[in-house]
Amino acid sequence: MKNSIFLMAISAAILTGISVKGQKISDGQTIEINGMSVTFSILNKESVEAGGKPYDRYKVSASVKNTTDKAYNIRLSSYPQIVSNTGLVELDCINATGAKLTSKKIELKMKPQMINVSYSAYDKSGKFTTNIIPVTGSYYFDPGDTISDNAIFIVPQGEKPDVSVRNLR
């Protein structure tokens, strides 16, 4: 009995470690993760010097496409509501240095849906006016939608970005 509990605990730890670490992705590659196609591309490379050491500076792009018929939605119930879990996938560059305020990861997030809300109030002169303010009503990622983002990764000279991707949903 003790052995089976121990084996189940070890198996759970290994499976959790695999899902947290993510899958490797390289330049130009597309990976399917839970019905989302994640693509990573290197757009540009140049050599730079930071702190007296040579590095390679990569401009990279990442995109995620919803290839299922399932929509992802977060509806807000009140304003202002703080929502921090809008991420879909995260691409981590393991060998990025973060030098010169550059990125170490790219997080692709759901799109915000903006709603124009009108309100009436008295202005400073005492006149009754109606104004419009944009408010975030929800976050969404519909079937067929694609979300993209760019980043700059600085890695040790002679190395390519070592990138892994993991699902946040």
Side-chain angles (χ1 to χ4, degrees):
M1 180 67 178
K2 288 182 182 179
N3 286 341
S4 63
I5 293 173
F6 177 73
L7 287 174
M8 287 187 341
I10 295 257
S11 299
I14 290 171
L15 290 173
T16 302
I18 289 171
S19 67
V20 169
K21 185 178 177 184
Q23 295 177 280
K24 294 285 185 188
I25 190 168
S26 57
D27 181 28
Q29 187 177 12
T30 300
I31 293 178
E32 289 289 325
I33 300 177
N34 292 345
M36 294 183 283
S37 294
V38 181
T39 304
F40 172 75
S41 301
I42 295 174
L43 303 175
N44 188 355
K45 175 192 172 189
E46 62 183 76
S47 295
V48 296
E49 193 170 303
K53 295 181 182 179
Y55 293 98
D56 287 334
R57 179 183 183 272
Y58 288 90
K59 182 174 183 181
V60 299
S61 174
S63 66
V64 60
K65 180 176 182 175
N66 187 352
T67 57
T68 68
D69 58 353
K70 174 186 173 188
Y72 295 90
N73 291 301
I74 298 175
R75 290 189 179 95
L76 305 182
S77 59
S78 63
Y79 182 81
Q81 181 178 353
I82 306 298
V83 177
S84 60
N85 61 342
T86 62
L88 296 165
V89 294
E90 181 178 81
L91 289 90
D92 293 312
C93 184
I94 297 163
N95 60 343
T97 64
K100 294 188 175 186
L101 302 175
T102 56
S103 302
K104 290 186 172 188
K105 64 181 174 181
I106 300 173
E107 185 176 345
L108 299 172
K109 299 180 178 187
M110 289 187 221
K111 299 175 185 180
Q113 179 185 10
M114 303 304 290
I115 301 169
N116 287 331
V117 176
S118 63
Y119 68 95
S120 300
Y122 290 98
D123 63 10
K124 292 179 182 178
S125 66
K127 183 180 175 186
F128 192 72
T129 61
T130 301
N131 298 306
I132 296 175
I133 184 170
V135 176
T136 302
S138 66
Y139 294 91
Y140 68 96
F141 187 48
D142 290 334
D145 279 355
T146 301
I147 298 171
S148 302
D149 199 4
N150 295 332
I152 304 291
F153 293 152
I154 292 183
V155 299
Q157 191 170 36
E159 293 183 22
K160 282 192 164 191
D162 184 12
V163 180
S164 66
V165 60
R166 68 185 180 102
N167 185 14
L168 298 176
R169 285 277 131 200

